[in-house]
Amino acid sequence: MITTKNPYTQNELKTYHLISDKELNQKLELADEQFRSWKSLQIKDRTKLLSKVAELLIERKETYAKLMTDEMGKPITQGIAEIEKCAWVCDFYAKNAEDFLADQLIEADTDESFISYDPLGVILAIMPWNYPFWQVMRFAAPTLMAGNTALLKHASSTTQCAIEIETLFLDAGFPEGCFQTLLVSHQQIEDIIGNDIVKAVSLTGSEAAGRTIAEIAGKNLKKAVLELGGNNACMVLKDADLDKYMDTMAWARMQNAGQSCIAAKRFIVVEDIYDEFLSKFKSKVESYMVGNPTDAKTEISSMASTKLAEEVEMQVQKSLDKGATVCYGNQRDHAFYQPTIIENVTKDMPLFREEVFGPVAAIIKVEGEEEAYELASDTKFGLGSMVFTADVDKTKRRIEQIADGAFFINELVKSDPRLPFGGTKASGYGRELSKEGMMEFVNVKTVYVKK
């Protein structure tokens, strides 16, 4: 049984029954059966269906945004923006899939040789609650356009979102079995990955979940793409334009109530600019509209559950016990956690070492640029880093110094359908989005012809 709950009101929403092993096998067989015909469909016909998905997303954006607000507390305007981004990724692959999948001609010692890109088959996606539509759509759009069929195991707290996504594809005209939502237990996931029908798995989730799925996939020799946690550094150098970029820096931490793997978690600030930064940062955080997520004016609301807020509270308290100090905030009421700024954070504290999945900004003062880069790299994660500075050319020469999947200058780390997205180290492996994301779930096949 799954029971969903509104984190803002604390009211129960709906109860769902998990499917039986027999029903699960039927869904797996349907996905496999549909794959045989779906992969042979002309790509132009597949992209027409994806364009229809984009249209329906825009038509239903208020409805879907309200659903996210109910199930995980996302402010309504941010929910609408999420759905608009989902439509963007669908339009992107509808426009570019044919070119991405075109045979690549290669000159070799033969009459004809080329690389073809064939679909793998049935792909399982295990997705989180924090961006319940976007995380799914950025997987589904390239995976389906490549000729695969897809299965979704979504976070239980956003079960209705998962159901609506399957309905969305059916309403757009996708054949039954192309995209299916599975209401299954964690225990059933291992059997799904081990089933011969499933050819690969994509997970967006925590480091712990990634290690578990990687182990199961590896044991079964299945391809896996893992987009895991992050502990992104935001380096603020002495020549940073604080007036120009303060809104960006603050929102890099506080968007989605801080519940984002690519959020700025650690603000590493050069001492020359530290006091001015902290004053302006605090003023910006204080200015956010906090309240009911259904109110269009609300910028920050509750976290997705009381349990998640309690975990953040514990990480903060352990850091305070080690000598960190509260600059602003640090009040919790059920699932609501006040936007918080913590100073005097050191390397031995959870706020520096761990991923903090909530609206808490850890501030670290450093002597200069060299120390900033050293501390930014001092993490087991490798999802993304950001640097705010006036000297862009100098900073570009530092790119290889940070072993992350993304390096952003004077901008918050974000995903874009046109660019590959993914991490290194404990942030996982593989890439989503762009052509690189589509290539993750195809068979890169060498064709060699002599006449």
Side-chain angles (χ1 to χ4, degrees), residues 8-186:
Y8 181 77
T9 66
Q10 296 291 299
N11 294 330
E12 289 188 359
L13 297 172
K14 195 172 181 179
T15 298
Y16 305 84
H17 293 278
L18 300 177
I19 61 175
S20 65
D21 289 340
K22 180 180 178 181
E23 292 171 313
L24 172 58
N25 287 331
Q26 290 172 342
K27 288 181 177 292
L28 290 173
E29 290 169 2
L30 176 60
D32 191 39
E33 179 183 348
Q34 185 54 247
F35 168 66
R36 296 189 186 97
S37 57
W38 178 250
K39 68 178 180 180
S40 300
L41 192 66
Q42 290 288 327
I43 192 166
K44 290 181 179 180
D45 293 325
R46 295 202 294 262
T47 56
K48 286 179 183 177
L49 294 175
L50 192 61
S51 294
K52 182 61 178 177
V53 170
E55 292 176 16
L56 291 178
L57 282 164
I58 297 301
E59 289 178 14
R60 301 173 180 181
K61 62 183 179 181
E62 286 85 4
T63 299
Y64 292 156
K66 178 61 165 59
L67 180 55
M68 287 187 277
T69 295
D70 289 342
E71 288 198 314
M72 53 77 60
K74 189 183 295 288
I76 191 72
T77 54
Q78 294 172 41
I80 291 172
E82 179 172 336
I83 298 302
E84 291 172 344
K85 191 172 183 179
C86 290
W88 180 23
V89 79
C90 290
D91 284 333
F92 174 78
Y93 281 105
K95 179 181 179 181
N96 292 290
E98 186 170 10
D99 287 339
F100 290 166
L101 296 168
D103 292 344
Q104 182 180 351
L105 299 177
I106 303 292
E107 288 190 10
D109 296 331
T110 187
D111 297 303
E112 184 181 7
S113 53
F114 58 92
I115 302 169
S116 70
Y117 303 100
D118 302 342
L120 296 180
V122 181
I123 314 297
L124 171 67
I126 304 171
M127 293 291 143
W129 46 264
N130 57 333
Y131 292 91
F133 275 79
W134 168 246
Q135 306 279 21
V136 176
M137 296 307 297
R138 76 181 187 189
F139 154 80
T143 300
L144 293 170
M145 289 306 95
N148 302 293
T149 54
L151 302 170
L152 170 65
K153 164 60 179 81
H154 216 323
S156 58
S157 60
T158 51
T159 295
Q160 193 59 45
C161 288
I163 292 171
E164 292 297 332
I165 293 171
E166 178 178 350
T167 301
L168 169 67
F169 280 104
L170 291 171
D171 289 350
F174 278 74
E176 187 176 0
C178 259
F179 183 99
Q180 297 179 85
T181 287
L182 306 178
L183 301 187
V184 295
S185 66
H186 290 291

Side-chain angles (χ1 to χ4, degrees), residues 242-307:
L242 298 182
D243 291 329
K244 184 176 181 180
Y245 293 117
M246 185 51 64
D247 287 357
T248 301
M249 286 187 271
W251 196 239
R253 170 68 278 198
M254 298 300 169
Q255 64 173 317
N256 204 35
Q259 300 167 121
S260 173
C261 57
I262 54 174
K265 309 279 173 44
R266 299 171 299 145
F267 289 81
I268 302 172
V269 186
V270 172
E271 60 183 0
D272 304 63
I273 204 172
Y274 183 87
D275 290 340
E276 182 185 1
F277 166 84
L278 190 62
S279 175
K280 292 180 177 180
F281 189 82
K282 182 181 177 183
S283 293
K284 183 60 189 177
V285 171
E286 287 175 328
S287 74
Y288 286 130
M289 293 294 294
V290 177
N292 191 321
T294 62
D295 188 336
K297 295 180 181 179
T298 295
E299 294 171 288
I300 299 176
S301 188
S302 66
M303 293 180 61
S305 74
T306 299
K307 180 181 178 182

Side-chain angles (χ1 to χ4, degrees), residues 367-391:
E367 291 183 0
E369 183 176 322
E370 291 300 328
E371 187 181 3
Y373 276 93
E374 180 182 339
L375 288 185
S377 298
D378 190 2
T379 175
K380 66 179 179 178
F381 296 99
L383 198 52
S385 294
M386 58 204 84
V387 184
F388 288 86
T389 177
D391 197 337

Side-chain angles (χ1 to χ4, degrees), residues 395-432:
T395 303
K396 286 167 66 176
R397 294 194 290 271
R398 294 270 198 173
I399 291 172
E400 65 179 23
Q401 188 173 337
I402 302 292
D404 287 3
F407 188 89
F408 278 55
I409 302 173
N410 294 327
E411 180 59 283
L412 55 83
V413 176
K414 56 186 176 181
S415 57
D416 183 316
R418 299 163 294 190
L419 296 168
F421 180 84
T424 62
K425 301 186 288 186
S427 293
Y429 47 77
R431 292 294 180 265
E432 295 182 292

